[in-house]
Amino acid sequence: MLKLYFAPGTCALASHIALAEAGAPYTTEKIDFKTNQQNSPEYLKINPKGRVPTLVTDRGVLTETPAMLAYIAQTFPQAKLAPDDAFEFATLQAFNSYLCSTVHICHAHKMRGARWATQETSFADMKAMIPKTMGACFNLIERDMLKGPWVMGENYTVGDAYLYTLTLWLDGDGVDIATLPKVKAHRAAMESRPAVQKVLAELKA
């Protein structure tokens, strides 16, 4: 049994969807950011980074979304959530790594400015840049990275769960998804999948 630690509205949604798509046996535990539970001694024993998601497996703890998605895909190969071909798998990993190392970091400048600066004016500048930086990221995804209808083309992968998760941030980041027709169609396609509907229902329960 796998255990996923998550917080609503975070990138943990990608791993949650992947677990559901894989048909994996799993449980979840919500981490309350409002009470700073992510930095509690109990949680830091599980994930010293003080962040979500965290996936507890029978072999140990995994953190970082690209690693967790790869683990889920490879642990449940029957679900076909990642390519078998080495180059195609690396291509998927490159996509997921871009979401993790670039897109997510751009988004984080809106609320997590204290990670990079100390002045209120710096925080304001960071927030003001979000529509531009997130817009540039998603314009690149729209133009050059999203093959369509899924990230890797005809085959659905864990990269689709990750992309979907980050597209949910666009409205709050001041990016009009209507200007990104492929991304918009991808989000709609994701929301028609039973596993996605199952996870979203679980989060509302």
Side-chain angles (χ1 to χ4, degrees), residues 41-150:
E42 295 79 12
Y43 186 65
L44 290 175
K45 288 179 182 178
I46 300 166
N47 182 352
K49 298 172 182 176
R51 298 186 186 181
V52 295
T54 300
L55 186 66
V56 179
T57 80
D58 60 358
R59 295 183 61 184
V61 174
L62 288 173
T63 62
E64 305 301 334
T65 295
M68 292 166 59
L69 293 177
Y71 173 81
I72 294 166
Q74 292 181 337
T75 302
F76 301 94
Q78 70 281 1
K80 300 186 183 302
L81 295 177
D84 294 325
D85 178 79
F87 184 83
E88 287 294 302
F89 182 73
T91 301
L92 172 61
Q93 288 294 82
F95 183 87
N96 288 342
S97 295
Y98 178 72
L99 297 183
C100 180
S101 65
T102 301
V103 183
H104 193 152
I105 299 304
C106 288
H107 171 76
H109 278 72
K110 180 173 69 175
M111 300 172 292
R112 312 291 182 197
R115 292 177 181 170
W116 300 282
T118 58
Q119 301 297 320
E120 287 294 331
T121 53
S122 298
F123 301 155
D125 283 346
M126 290 183 199
K127 291 178 182 179
M129 283 291 289
I130 298 300
K132 180 177 180 179
T133 56
M134 287 292 283
C137 288
F138 271 87
N139 282 331
L140 177 63
I141 291 169
E142 172 83 13
R143 185 183 69 241
D144 297 327
M145 299 176 72
L146 174 57
K147 296 179 181 179
W150 305 115

Side-chain angles (χ1 to χ4, degrees), residues 153-172:
E154 295 299 320
N155 296 320
Y156 178 92
T157 67
V158 289
D160 293 293
Y162 203 2
L163 176 60
Y164 170 70
T165 296
L166 271 57
T167 64
L168 296 179
W169 299 345
L170 290 178
D171 291 344

Side-chain angles (χ1 to χ4, degrees), residues 4-17 52-54 65 68 104 165 169:
L4 177 70
Y5 289 86
F6 77 98
T10 70
C11 62
L13 178 62
S15 295
H16 198 165
I17 291 172
V52 295
T54 300
T65 295
M68 292 166 59
H104 193 152
T165 296
W169 299 345

